[in-house]
Amino acid sequence: MPYYESSVDGTRLHYVDHGPACGAVAVFVAGAYLGHEMWEHQMLPLAEAGYRCVGLDRRGHGRSDDVWSGYDLDTLADDLQGLLDHLDLREVTLIGHSVGTAEVLRCLTRHGSSRVAGAALVCGVSPGIIRSERLPDGLDPALVRADEESFRRDRPAWFTRFADAFFAVTSAGNEVSDACTRYLIDRCLVATPRAATGVRSVVTGLDLTAELPAVDVPVLVVHGTHDTSAPLTHTGERLARLVPGAVLKVYENGGHGLFFTHADRLTADLRDFLGAAGATAATTATTATTGICRMLAAAGIGG
């Protein structure tokens, strides 16, 4: 089972690495509470299509170490950069969901884009959703505090109560089985209480407004019209305006869980974006890279 150690504090972080070793690389960062498994309907078909798909379990989530500290955005971004360094990945497309979009963006603005060809931001909470001086139309902090109390008191009930809204099941076409809902709730509960509340704190304190103009790679923003966790006007639309050259794709009836309800469309859009990002990589590719791939294949080494 593959792990690497965080450069910040040595925390063991789990990742998966699927698909051919020399395929165009996509690195997936999950939303709050979930591990890499949330990307099942994107990673599997993309890996089968020849892309190298790497999925990260953030600290305290999935199979990564249960630790007390490090649930601040800078450390989470450093953990992500550490994965790119550990695997020596180049021309990567970073793909984040929800709070994972903030980790992707902070990784870019904190560490630069020398390893990154592009970023896809799906249902992001970026640039922020809580009312502040620069986000005057955000959520009322008092409502957020009340929600936090409910979450701490009974996490299983909290996840169950908001599951339908997460998938926007009352909107046309968003059919989700009870079994799937139960599975994802169970996966959410794998995240430790400390990790879950720590990541929630990242969201409540999030305001990336000032740093978004510094993002210097192609960015795809995907958002649903019925996302109640991160309303489109506060997040996706604003994010696309603030990031230079960003492309916004809006999914009609899509909720926060459109990675499942709109799985085929999202996978197709990511594949198209990976192709666009890969075109940039192709201009810098060398025959040496091709030779390395051939040697790996000959030796029977690959993802």
Side-chain angles (χ1 to χ4, degrees), residues 231-299:
L232 173 62
T233 55
H234 296 169
T235 54
E237 290 182 349
R238 179 180 284 135
L239 180 60
R241 289 196 301 269
L242 290 171
V243 175
V247 174
L248 172 64
K249 291 197 173 187
V250 176
Y251 288 17
E252 188 64 34
N253 294 330
H256 206 55
L258 59 73
F259 59 89
F260 181 82
T261 59
H262 295 65
D264 291 344
R265 180 179 175 184
L266 177 59
T267 301
D269 282 340
L270 291 177
R271 184 169 182 175
D272 288 345
F273 185 66
L274 281 161
T280 302
T283 64
T284 60
T286 66
T287 55
T289 301
T290 303
I292 291 170
C293 291
R294 287 173 178 167
M295 284 190 292
L296 288 172

Side-chain angles (χ1 to χ4, degrees), residues 34-64:
L34 288 164
H36 71 274
E37 67 280 339
M38 70 152 278
W39 294 111
E40 171 184 349
H41 299 289
Q42 287 72 51
M43 289 184 66
L44 180 59
L46 287 172
E48 289 173 338
Y51 296 91
R52 182 178 179 183
C53 295
V54 179
L56 172 65
D57 288 350
R58 77 169 55 78
R59 56 179 60 216
H61 291 62
R63 296 187 179 96
S64 289

Side-chain angles (χ1 to χ4, degrees), residues 124 129 139 223-225 227-237:
I129 60 173
L139 299 176
H223 220 95
T225 58
D227 190 333
T228 57
S229 300
L232 173 62
T233 55
H234 296 169
T235 54
E237 290 182 349

Side-chain angles (χ1 to χ4, degrees), residues 58-59 70-80 103 199 202:
R58 77 169 55 78
R59 56 179 60 216
Y71 302 103
D72 59 275
L73 189 55
D74 281 351
T75 298
L76 295 174
D78 291 351
D79 288 346
L80 175 56
E103 291 163 80
V199 170
V202 170

Side-chain angles (χ1 to χ4, degrees), residues 28-259:
F28 291 82
V29 185
Y33 323 121
L34 288 164
H36 71 274
E37 67 280 339
M38 70 152 278
W39 294 111
E40 171 184 349
H41 299 289
Q42 287 72 51
M43 289 184 66
L44 180 59
L46 287 172
E48 289 173 338
Y51 296 91
R52 182 178 179 183
C53 295
V54 179
L56 172 65
D57 288 350
R58 77 169 55 78
R59 56 179 60 216
H61 291 62
R63 296 187 179 96
S64 289
D65 279 358
D66 175 12
V67 293
W68 180 254
S69 60
Y71 302 103
D72 59 275
L73 189 55
D74 281 351
T75 298
L76 295 174
D78 291 351
D79 288 346
L80 175 56
Q81 181 66 32
L83 176 60
L84 307 187
D85 294 340
H86 173 73
L87 293 176
D88 193 24
L89 300 176
R90 307 281 178 175
E91 298 294 346
V92 170
T93 297
L94 298 174
I95 302 171
H97 174 264
S98 191
V99 72
T101 65
E103 291 163 80
V104 166
L105 290 165
R106 179 59 59 84
C107 183
L108 286 168
T109 60
R110 183 171 168 84
H111 295 282
S113 57
S114 63
R115 292 185 179 274
V116 181
L121 310 174
V122 182
C123 303
V125 295
S126 304
I129 60 173
I130 311 302
R131 186 184 304 162
S132 66
E133 183 177 346
R134 286 185 294 199
L135 300 169
D137 55 351
L139 299 176
D140 183 347
L143 295 177
V144 177
R145 288 193 294 271
D147 184 64
E148 176 70 11
E149 292 174 4
S150 174
F151 181 82
R152 286 174 174 263
R153 183 168 53 251
D154 191 338
R155 284 190 302 141
W158 188 92
F159 286 123
T160 302
R161 184 164 67 253
F162 288 106
D164 285 354
F166 182 86
F167 291 111
V169 296
T170 58
S171 299
N174 294 341
E175 296 181 3
V176 183
S177 69
D178 291 342
C180 177
T181 299
R182 183 72 260 163
Y183 166 73
L184 286 174
I185 290 174
D186 288 345
R187 299 309 303 165
C188 285
L189 291 168
V190 170
T192 67
R194 170 59 180 160
T197 55
V199 170
R200 287 173 66 88
S201 294
V202 170
V203 176
T204 57
L206 188 65
D207 184 355
L208 301 180
T209 307
E211 61 197 85
L212 292 180
V215 175
D216 61 355
V217 298
V219 169
L220 171 66
V221 178
V222 175
H223 220 95
T225 58
H226 288 59
D227 190 333
T228 57
S229 300
L232 173 62
T233 55
H234 296 169
T235 54
E237 290 182 349
R238 179 180 284 135
L239 180 60
R241 289 196 301 269
L242 290 171
V243 175
V247 174
L248 172 64
K249 291 197 173 187
V250 176
Y251 288 17
E252 188 64 34
N253 294 330
H256 206 55
L258 59 73
F259 59 89

